[in-house]
């Protein structure tokens, strides 16, 4: 028998044997793939390795350096994705399904790397918000900062996305400087082992930054404490059980089963682009990954009298486009669910729905014709309910190619139906009416982590109801778990601690790597524009000579630019405005002069001025006033690639 290895303490480890090991089988053929067990694994040693070696190696890197590791890791995985596709097929995934898991996971790494290099500083501390002056003379300041946690990020993942689901948690934790232990779900743990093996073989991973536990983790929560995090994806019941085991200092977030909804707007009648987009999306959510997605549509909410039209359109598309079978066979567009046990669980939940009054309007619970009895095959199913308030509709998630369809009377009723789900990861709305969209968002926004508005303008470019993107929050309130995985830099900060820091400008400059007004400057010697980054230091500054503003300067600038606003050209009108003492200089005149006052014109290390941020004109400047410029190197962010 073949056992699936784990990767712990910097080495691959395989159990010597375990008669109770879980057996993982091919979803289409029933053939045994591998056995999974952690009997004999030093789990405490893995946690200790993360806290020591992992913390040390990641702590030595800056945010941009960590970001470059993610980029190169994405390249390494991308180069070998065909190997991962082949493994994914054994779990029942078609090539299209694998794109969302394998290519989606690689895309997460690329996106986080790019965003980190653009949005995070060159150091290891993230600033949160502006300076808070705490003294009149500026000698005592406050600032909120994020610093990395001292522990380990443990992720417990679901079977449906063994790569994307892990990398969406790994990438932000890695950027934050927190080492990760991945615990994949057993049915697809062999896919997780494969991508981790590629990552290890790439030689890119800092020591201890990533470990893999293939199998159960008994006693793990006894090893975790303040500074550690747990990210769980799975059922709400399991999430609550695990949450109760976590010590108070352990951050526990979950992304759990969700009764997501999709609303057909009252304006989206048959024949409209919105109706067509709605049905196409419903088909995709029923058949992609055989409906095994936490973001899949579970409730199709349509206007009164529209059930038959939607069902007929869906049946037609299934007939035209859906071929059920082994994903390795040519032409197959929908594979089996992950295992026979999962198939039986889906059918059990379908029986609960039919017992509650659901009637099949698309498909049935019968096995698809011509399929092997050893394969976990199901056909797409849509069940109609006469009463949208039926508890089972809003509570039962058949985690497969199954959805319910209910009708609403008006927009307010549609929002009420959404809210009965108790909190969702996503709701989508097919409408071209901004008033309908506005009312729905106002009424149901708080019940969802994400809301997608689908219409003729974005139907071609939309990523779709069930496709989270790294840039936006993935999670949801209530039953959906309350977590916020992904979400760009927000998710990086989840793995860091926000602290209010107080001190002098000099001290805050040293702590944050950003110059604060009142801290030391160096105005002697070489102009900052003459220094390459290897010599430039925070606080390097130049103070210009003064330049007097004359009325003639103002008039020349006005005529040259065409900006003859009355405050610059009409003394009487300007003086009548309580903000101005009379005619004043243009703000852009002052900015233009500023460049002339601080610039060093000869060619040198400075290539270009890429723009200004937070530019405001707060004090009127009158003829006869004199201005000068103080230019200080506030922050230095070198590019790792240049």
């Amino acid at each position: 028998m073949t056992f699936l290895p784990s990767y712990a303490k910097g080495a691959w480890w395989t159990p010597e044997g375990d008669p109770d090991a879980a057996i993982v089988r091919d979803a289409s053929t029933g053939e045994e793939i591998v056995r999974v067990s952690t009997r004999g694994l030093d789990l405490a040693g893995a946690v200790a390795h993360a806290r020591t070696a992992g913390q040390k190696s990641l702590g030595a890197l800056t945010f941009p350096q960590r970001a470059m590791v993610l980029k190169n890791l994405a390249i390494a995985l991308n180069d070998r994705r065909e190997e991962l596709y082949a493994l994914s097929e054994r779990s029942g995934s078609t090539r299209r399904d694998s794109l969302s898991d394998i290519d989606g996971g690689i895309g997460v790494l690329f996106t986080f790397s790019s965003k980190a290099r653009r949005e995070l500083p060159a150091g290891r501390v993230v600033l949160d918000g502006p300076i808070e002056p705490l003294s009149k003379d500026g000698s005592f300041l406050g600032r909120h900062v994020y610093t990395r946690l001292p522990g380990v990020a443990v992720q417990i993942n679901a079977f449906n996305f063994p790569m994307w689901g892990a990398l969406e948690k790994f990438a932000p934790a890695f950027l934050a400087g927190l080492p990760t232990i991945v615990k994949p779900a057993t049915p697809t743990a062999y896919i997780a082992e494969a991508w981790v093996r590629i990552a290890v073989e790439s030689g890119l991973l800092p020591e201890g930054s990533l470990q893999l536990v293939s199998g159960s983790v008994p006693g793990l929560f006894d090893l975790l404490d303040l500074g550690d995090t747990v990210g769980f994806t799975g059922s709400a019941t399991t999430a609550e059980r695990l949450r109760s085991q976590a010590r108070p200092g352990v951050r526990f977030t979950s992304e759990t089963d969700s009764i997501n909804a999709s609303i057909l707007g009252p304006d989206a009648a048959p024949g409209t682009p919105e109706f067509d987009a709605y049905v196409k999306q419903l088909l995709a959510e029923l058949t992609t990954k055989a409906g095994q997605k936490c973001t899949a549509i579970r409730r199709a909410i349509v206007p009164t009298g529209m059930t038959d039209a939607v069902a007929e359109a869906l049946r037609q598309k299934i007939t035209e486009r859906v071929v059920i079978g082994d994903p390795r066979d040519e032409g197959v567009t929908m594979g089996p669910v992950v295992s026979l046990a999962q198939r039986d669980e889906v059918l059990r939940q379908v029986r609960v729905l039919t017992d509650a009054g659901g009637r099949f309007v698309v498909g049935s619970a019968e096995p698809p014709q011509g399929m092997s009895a050893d394969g976990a095959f199901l056909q797409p199913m849509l069940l109609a309910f006469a009463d949208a308030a039926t508890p089972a509709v809003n509570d039962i998630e058949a985690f497969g190619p199954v959805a319910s369809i209910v009708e609403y009377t008006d927009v307010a009723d549609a929002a009420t139906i959404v809210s009965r789900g108790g909190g969702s990861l996503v709701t989508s709305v097919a409408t071209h009416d901004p008033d309908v969209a506005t009312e729905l968002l106002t009424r149901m926004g708080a019940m969802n982590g994400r809301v997608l508005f689908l219409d003729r303008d974005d139907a071609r470019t939309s990523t779709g109801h069930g496709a989270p993107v790294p840039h936006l929050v993935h999670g949801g309130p209530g039953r959906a778990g309350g977590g916020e995985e992904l979400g760009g830099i927000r998710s990086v900060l989840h793995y860091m601690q926000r602290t209010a820091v107080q001190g002098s400008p000099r001290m805050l400059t040293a702590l944050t790597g950003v110059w604060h007004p009142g801290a030391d400057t160096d105005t002697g010697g070489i102009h900052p524009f003459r220094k390459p980054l290897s010599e430039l230091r925070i606080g390097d500054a130049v103070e210009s000579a003064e330049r007097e503003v004359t009325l003639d300067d103002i008039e020349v600038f006005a005529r040259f630019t065409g900006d003859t606003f009355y405050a610059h050209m009409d003394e009487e009108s300007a003086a009548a405005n309580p903000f101005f003492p009379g005619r004043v200089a243009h703000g852009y005149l002052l900015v233009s002069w500023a460049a002339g006052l601080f610039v060093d014109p000869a060619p040198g290390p400075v290539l270009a001025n890429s723009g200004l941020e937070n530019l405001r004109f707060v004090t009127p400047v009158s003829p006869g006033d004199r201005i000068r410029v103080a230019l200080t190197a506030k922050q230095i962010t070198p590019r790792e690639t240049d």
Side-chain angles (χ1 to χ4, degrees):
M1 60 183 70
T2 302
F3 284 91
L4 190 67
S6 295
Y7 184 72
K9 299 188 292 184
W12 290 99
W13 173 91
T14 304
E16 295 180 358
D18 182 359
D20 299 320
I23 300 175
V24 179
R25 299 185 182 277
D26 188 294
S28 298
T29 66
E31 176 189 358
E32 180 176 328
I33 300 174
V34 75
R35 300 195 175 196
V36 179
S37 172
T38 55
R39 176 177 288 188
L41 177 65
D42 182 9
L43 195 57
V47 172
H49 185 65
R51 288 180 178 149
T52 53
Q55 280 282 331
K56 181 179 180 181
S57 64
L58 283 171
L61 302 178
T62 63
F63 292 119
Q65 289 169 338
R66 296 171 196 159
M68 287 305 300
V69 173
L70 292 185
K71 177 182 178 180
N72 291 324
L73 182 59
I75 294 172
L77 291 169
N78 194 59
D79 288 342
R80 296 176 61 179
R81 65 185 185 278
E82 288 295 334
E83 301 172 34
L84 298 165
Y85 289 157
L87 287 174
S88 187
E89 288 174 342
R90 306 202 72 178
S91 72
S93 292
T94 64
R95 178 59 64 100
R96 184 186 66 173
D97 297 336
S98 295
L99 292 177
S100 60
D101 184 31
I102 295 168
D103 291 58
I106 293 169
V108 164
L109 295 179
F110 276 126
T111 300
F112 271 97
S113 174
S114 176
K115 289 185 72 66
R117 283 177 283 147
R118 293 196 315 268
E119 301 176 31
L120 289 176
R124 300 169 182 83
V125 175
V126 179
L127 300 180
D128 179 40
I131 298 169
E132 298 291 346
L134 302 177
S135 66
K136 289 184 178 180
D137 65 357
S139 64
F140 186 50
L141 306 175
R143 195 93 193 241
H144 289 96
V145 302
Y146 281 95
T147 57
R148 70 192 185 113
L149 297 176
V152 57
V154 174
Q155 52 169 270
I156 303 174
N157 297 322
F159 67 79
N160 51 339
F161 287 97
M163 188 162 167
W164 174 84
L167 292 175
E168 68 159 344
K169 299 182 182 75
F170 169 74
F174 186 90
L175 284 174
L178 196 61
T180 294
I181 295 177
V182 176
K183 191 279 179 207
T186 295
T188 52
Y190 59 93
I191 302 173
E193 189 270 349
W195 76 255
V196 171
R197 184 174 293 276
I198 293 171
V200 171
E201 291 175 355
S202 73
L204 296 166
L205 293 172
E207 183 182 1
S209 61
L210 176 63
Q211 298 179 86
L212 172 73
V213 176
S214 300
S216 60
V217 284
L220 173 63
F221 281 70
D222 294 333
L223 303 172
L224 305 181
D225 212 329
L226 181 64
D228 298 323
T229 72
V230 175
F232 171 80
T233 301
S235 73
T237 302
T238 304
E240 287 309 305
R241 177 173 58 81
L242 294 177
R243 192 189 302 272
S244 68
Q245 298 177 25
R247 294 176 179 172
V250 177
R251 297 186 184 184
F252 185 98
T253 58
S254 62
E255 187 262 281
T256 61
D257 48 22
S258 171
I259 313 298
N260 308 299
S262 184
I263 301 173
L264 182 67
D267 59 307
T272 64
E274 287 70 37
F275 181 88
D276 294 341
Y278 182 86
V279 175
K280 180 180 179 181
Q281 178 175 263
L282 182 56
L283 173 73
E285 294 305 310
L286 277 173
T287 58
T288 301
K289 281 276 183 179
Q292 299 168 111
K293 299 198 308 178
C294 58
T295 53
I297 296 170
R298 302 302 175 195
R299 295 175 295 166
I301 304 173
V302 302
T304 300
M306 290 293 290
T307 294
D308 290 344
V310 171
E312 175 57 31
L314 181 62
R315 281 195 297 270
Q316 183 176 342
K317 284 196 176 293
I318 290 174
T319 300
E320 294 172 352
R321 302 186 182 186
V322 177
V323 178
I324 301 172
D326 188 326
R328 288 158 292 205
D329 294 341
E330 186 176 354
V332 168
T333 62
M334 176 178 159
V337 293
V338 73
S339 65
L340 292 175
Q342 181 63 22
R343 180 201 63 184
D344 294 343
E345 173 61 18
V346 171
L347 292 175
R348 186 183 72 81
Q349 299 287 27
V350 169
R351 285 193 295 273
V352 174
L353 290 170
T354 54
D355 289 345
R359 62 182 177 87
F360 288 101
V361 291
V362 174
S364 75
E366 296 298 318
Q369 293 183 354
M371 297 295 105
S372 167
D374 294 324
F377 297 100
L378 292 168
Q379 57 179 296
M381 293 170 257
L382 184 66
L383 293 89
F385 286 82
D387 184 359
T390 302
V393 172
N394 303 296
D395 187 56
I396 297 299
E397 181 184 35
F399 202 70
V402 184
S404 302
I405 185 168
V406 297
E407 297 181 350
Y408 67 88
T409 55
D410 56 26
V411 173
D413 186 37
T416 298
I417 296 171
V418 171
S419 69
R420 291 193 184 113
S424 299
L425 295 171
V426 55
T427 291
S428 59
V429 182
T431 181
H432 197 53
D433 187 334
D435 292 335
V436 170
T438 300
E439 182 176 356
L440 282 171
L441 181 62
T442 301
R443 291 180 178 273
M444 70 177 191
M447 306 302 295
N448 291 274
R450 178 167 56 92
V451 179
L452 165 65
F453 290 98
L454 188 66
D455 67 4
R456 64 197 67 181
D457 297 330
D458 65 6
R460 288 177 178 269
T461 56
S462 167
T463 51
H465 171 101
V469 292
H471 317 71
L472 302 178
V473 166
H474 173 52
R479 173 175 177 149
E484 290 192 356
E485 296 173 332
L486 299 182
I489 300 304
R490 291 180 188 85
S491 53
V492 177
L493 302 181
H494 167 73
Y495 295 99
M496 306 183 79
Q497 174 63 45
R498 182 168 57 186
T499 303
V501 178
Q502 298 169 289
S504 67
R506 176 175 174 272
M507 190 60 69
L508 289 187
T509 296
L511 293 172
T512 63
V514 176
W515 183 83
H516 287 66
D520 298 337
T521 59
D522 182 1
T523 57
I526 303 174
H527 192 293
F529 278 21
R530 303 253 54 84
K531 295 183 178 182
L533 286 187
S534 59
E535 298 177 11
L536 189 67
R537 299 291 180 267
I538 292 173
D540 283 355
V542 60
E543 294 183 359
S544 75
E546 293 182 347
R547 178 167 181 172
E548 182 177 347
V549 181
T550 68
L551 191 60
D552 186 56
D553 293 325
I554 295 172
E555 292 180 346
V556 168
F557 190 83
R559 289 192 297 269
F560 184 72
T561 63
D563 183 355
T564 55
F565 186 62
Y566 77 89
H568 312 306
M569 303 302 289
D570 187 332
E571 180 68 32
E572 183 177 351
S573 297
N577 186 320
F579 185 73
F580 300 118
R583 293 175 69 178
V584 297
H586 306 69
Y588 297 107
L589 167 61
L590 304 178
V591 172
S592 300
W593 276 5
L597 288 169
F598 70 66
V599 73
D600 187 321
V606 173
L607 301 180
N609 178 352
S610 63
L612 301 172
E613 297 178 4
N614 302 319
L615 173 64
R616 297 179 64 220
F617 306 120
V618 296
T619 303
V621 176
S622 303
D625 287 344
R626 304 175 71 83
I627 68 167
R628 66 182 179 87
V629 171
L631 176 74
T632 307
K634 179 179 180 181
Q635 187 172 6
I636 302 173
T637 307
R639 291 177 56 157
E640 287 299 314
T641 53
D642 295 329

